[in-house]
Amino acid sequence: MSGRKCEKAKGSRPAVWIHQVRCEGAPPNQMGIRYHRIFLILLLLHEANAALKDPVQKWQTLSGAPPLVIARGGYSGLFPDSSHLAYQFALENSLPETVLFCDLKLSSDNVGFCKTCLVLNNSTLIAEVFPKGDKTYKVNGEDRHGWFSVDFTSDQLMHNVTLIQNVLSRPSVFDGTMGMSLVDDVVGLQPPQLWINVQYAQFFLDHKLNIEEYISSKAKEFGINYVSSPEVGFLKSLGVKLRKSNVKLVLRFLDEQLIEPSTKQSYGAILKDLKSVKTFASGILVPKTYIWPVNKDHYLQPATNLVKDAHDLGLEVYAYKFANDIFSSYNYSYDPSAEYLQFIDNSDFSVDGVLTDFPSTASGAIACLAHTKGNPLPPPGNDTRPLIITHNGASGIFPGGTDLAYRQAVEDGADIIDCSVQMSKDAVPFCLDSPDITKGTTAATMFLTKVATVNEIQKGSGIFSFDLSWSEIQTLKPDLVGPFSQQGLKRNPAAKNSGKLMTLADFLAFSKSSNVSGILVDIRNAPYLATRGIGIVDAVSSALINASYDKETRQQVLIASDDSAVLGAFNKFPGFKRVLQIGNVISDASNQSVEEVAKFADAVSISRGSVVQAHGSFLVQFTNVIDKMHTANLSVYVGLLKDEFMNLGFDFLANPMVEIVTYSSLMVDGIVTEFPATAAEYFRSPCSDFSKNLTYTIMPAKPGSLLSLTDPSVLPPAEGPAPVLEPADVVDPPLPAVTVGGHGAAPSPSNDSSTKSGATAVGASSGFCLLVAGLAALLAVSTR
């Protein structure tokens, strides 16, 4: 792999993620034939029933009304920017008042169309259709090379040029399938409000195309509500022509150091004189960092006074550069809803609207999540919500298995906090995700002489907890390493080595003193540890008894394992709930296997891929595994959920909350997550109650709906079906006796994996990474 670049597989995310806009002159992904299947959009409608009444909320916007959702180029986070499908999808999946944002361009014959980039080769296939049509022009005093609309007639553009996605981490399967959108086309969708943005008025005027005249002549016909531009002179002149209309003029600010072309002032200087802006505009559109600055380490700084100052002058404030798949600050922990709430639901102010590539997420933040921080979390149950179960605590924010991760999880609203038990050489049980302590600690820098290979535990070498004493392990620091760090998505670097590892006894003492409803103790590798003279089952049992959990009635105790014999060893604790972990993906479960599981377990924990099948990054269909388990009176927990957008299939719209909603709608009994705050945020909202007749709600994903809009020929090859769970996969042999004096025994060289549970080993040959054409990132249905 050295020296080779990973290529983006069609329909999938790039192996190494950079939020990169397609470079000028870069070869387009593919040439497609325009086809019209817009009627299939009906399969995608997520519109909720209209309500008679919604909860009355008080907003700190200038008008007191809810903030506007402004869809930049439609739903451009999914479909090619400014395509008909992008605009239609935005209307059908967002708040009823959503504004469609059209970045106006003119053809050589003065016909208006919507397209964000000035040069068309960034986001269309025009270079293939007109290979000799490129030019170099002066734009705001600088040379710009590419294909420009001013050199083509509307017929040439509309009948020959198709669109492509210009952000490389977004779906490419729609490239070349949709034509460009005239302003008339967007108006034909009858949007509630229309926002026209004019980014380069002077450039078009230099080419004898007057956008000012175009807008003033069409304003009434099109029903234009807003016109924005970064050019002061253009807005002042247009204001004279539109003074008798209700069109709102908005000054769009660019980066502070850039120069506004008509006044020759920097935008930073103009920002200091908002009174002058009020003389020709009713609002301002600013980058979001104008309001909430971010330091060089990507953490939020205190908010500026911009919104308050503008509101005091009667200026509305709109913020832009919102997208679910653009990293902005570690403070949001990869939850895009949290970012919107920072702008609309803080105690001091609210912006008047957000310009976004993902309008459904902004809609959910406004309609569902705002003003709910003080709401109580409803108790879990069949008629309310699933359990929120952690994975090593809030391990998306602090190193997993540490005191800080568990405290954060309790604060965030977790119901069940978990301890994945590992054992030291001197048989001290403690909490950490893996027995290979290079994963989660700084062991690799301190105990290189302890590197070993234990095939019964994992492929590849590691430094294992059972080769170090607890006193040695205590010298280590925890290490927070996110699953997508190599792709550029790190987790909370400020807390990378924060917190301390906890013994199981410390974990149980902490749990008892907290308000969680239960604990989950995860036990793995018991057969192998027995050969090393370490009895993990006895160690866990003793710790639970010493903490009086055998007599506990306030908190539920869940014992989880991939080994049926381990679960059977806890039959002596009738109050405990036993959870069989089925780690690998299954497509179904035979009736006999379910009957076997019900003999020794009360619940199963399954991977996301066992719930929903995928093709590339698109969801295909739900399995019936949940229903099969429920029929046998087995609770079903699904995991592992992560907030990073690379972890999500396209059907989840780069929004981890949509995944939570989806599994909740399938009546799972618990979700296992590294970000419990995201789940609790949703379940505190009125939208988590599907019985409420709300104007808008966050809807679950619909497998197959997006896939039906694609051309099958551009998708990666479909993988074969995952195996069906059979009895042999879930029944393990009895646990071996603990070898006396086995402490410190050499690791077994054996490649025999018979000591591993069949529930983990089943179907290993089929795998579940959906690694196609270099796709290294986990997708929507990746396993734990």
Side-chain angles (χ1 to χ4, degrees), residues 24 37 62 87 145 171 235 282 312 344 354 358 408 448 456 489 530 595 622 660 688 694 696 780:
E24 292 184 27
R37 293 192 284 169
L62 183 62
Y87 281 122
H145 180 79
L235 289 176
S282 62
D312 287 343
I344 66 172
V354 291
F358 292 84
Q408 188 67 50
L448 282 176
E456 293 90 342
L489 301 180
E595 290 171 1
F622 293 124
I660 292 167
S688 65
L694 301 173
Y696 182 85

Side-chain angles (χ1 to χ4, degrees), residues 614-616 716-722 766-772:
H615 185 186
E719 293 209 352
S766 66
F768 188 69
C769 290
L770 293 175
L771 300 178
V772 287

Side-chain angles (χ1 to χ4, degrees), residues 663-682:
Y663 296 134
S664 179
S665 71
L666 295 174
M667 303 302 290
V668 299
D669 302 280
I671 55 174
V672 184
T673 176
E674 296 180 332
F675 296 86
T678 306
E681 180 182 46
Y682 170 68

Side-chain angles (χ1 to χ4, degrees), residues 458-697:
Q458 66 181 30
K459 293 181 180 179
S461 59
I463 299 173
F464 296 93
S465 64
F466 42 76
D467 287 328
L468 280 78
S469 67
W470 175 240
S471 60
E472 289 176 311
I473 292 171
Q474 286 181 295
T475 66
L476 301 173
K477 292 182 179 180
D479 192 18
L480 176 57
V481 180
F484 305 105
S485 293
Q486 292 185 347
Q487 288 79 33
L489 301 180
K490 297 179 181 180
R491 288 180 174 177
N492 196 11
K496 179 175 173 59
N497 300 122
S498 298
K500 65 177 182 179
L501 297 177
M502 300 181 75
T503 64
L504 176 58
D506 290 339
F507 168 80
L508 296 176
F510 170 79
S511 303
K512 275 226 165 178
S513 65
S514 71
N515 60 355
V516 294
S517 58
I519 60 170
L520 183 147
V521 181
D522 183 2
I523 304 172
R524 303 286 182 104
N525 306 310
Y528 174 76
L529 288 171
T531 68
R532 301 293 303 272
I534 300 173
I536 187 173
V537 171
D538 289 341
V540 171
S541 298
S542 297
L544 289 167
I545 292 171
N546 290 339
S548 300
Y549 267 103
D550 56 329
K551 302 179 180 67
E552 177 65 37
T553 58
R554 184 177 66 90
Q555 293 179 334
Q556 173 73 58
V557 177
L558 282 66
I559 301 296
S561 181
D562 57 358
D563 193 313
S564 62
V566 169
L567 297 181
F570 284 87
N571 285 336
K572 58 185 177 182
F573 299 104
F576 292 2
K577 189 169 185 176
R578 296 159 298 167
V579 183
L580 178 68
Q581 294 173 323
I582 304 173
N584 284 325
V585 176
I586 58 174
S587 60
D588 199 353
S590 69
N591 292 334
Q592 294 85 353
S593 68
V594 176
E595 290 171 1
E596 286 295 332
V597 173
K599 293 176 182 178
F600 59 82
D602 307 292
V604 294
S605 179
I606 59 178
S607 68
R608 297 177 298 166
S610 299
V611 176
V612 58
Q613 298 172 346
H615 185 186
S617 296
F618 294 94
L619 307 187
V620 177
Q621 63 182 3
F622 293 124
T623 70
N624 65 353
V625 172
I626 294 175
D627 290 340
K628 283 279 187 77
M629 298 298 176
H630 279 168
T631 300
N633 202 30
L634 290 165
S635 299
V636 180
Y637 309 137
V638 176
L640 177 65
L641 277 62
K642 307 177 182 74
D643 277 9
E644 289 95 340
F645 78 88
M646 288 195 73
N647 184 57
L648 302 169
F650 293 130
D651 298 74
F652 294 125
L653 307 177
N655 183 0
M657 203 165 285
V658 174
E659 185 179 32
I660 292 167
V661 175
T662 301
Y663 296 134
S664 179
S665 71
L666 295 174
M667 303 302 290
V668 299
D669 302 280
I671 55 174
V672 184
T673 176
E674 296 180 332
F675 296 86
T678 306
E681 180 182 46
Y682 170 68
F683 292 122
R684 284 192 180 98
S685 78
C687 292
S688 65
D689 185 348
F690 288 126
S691 68
K692 291 186 176 180
N693 194 24
L694 301 173
T695 303
Y696 182 85
T697 193

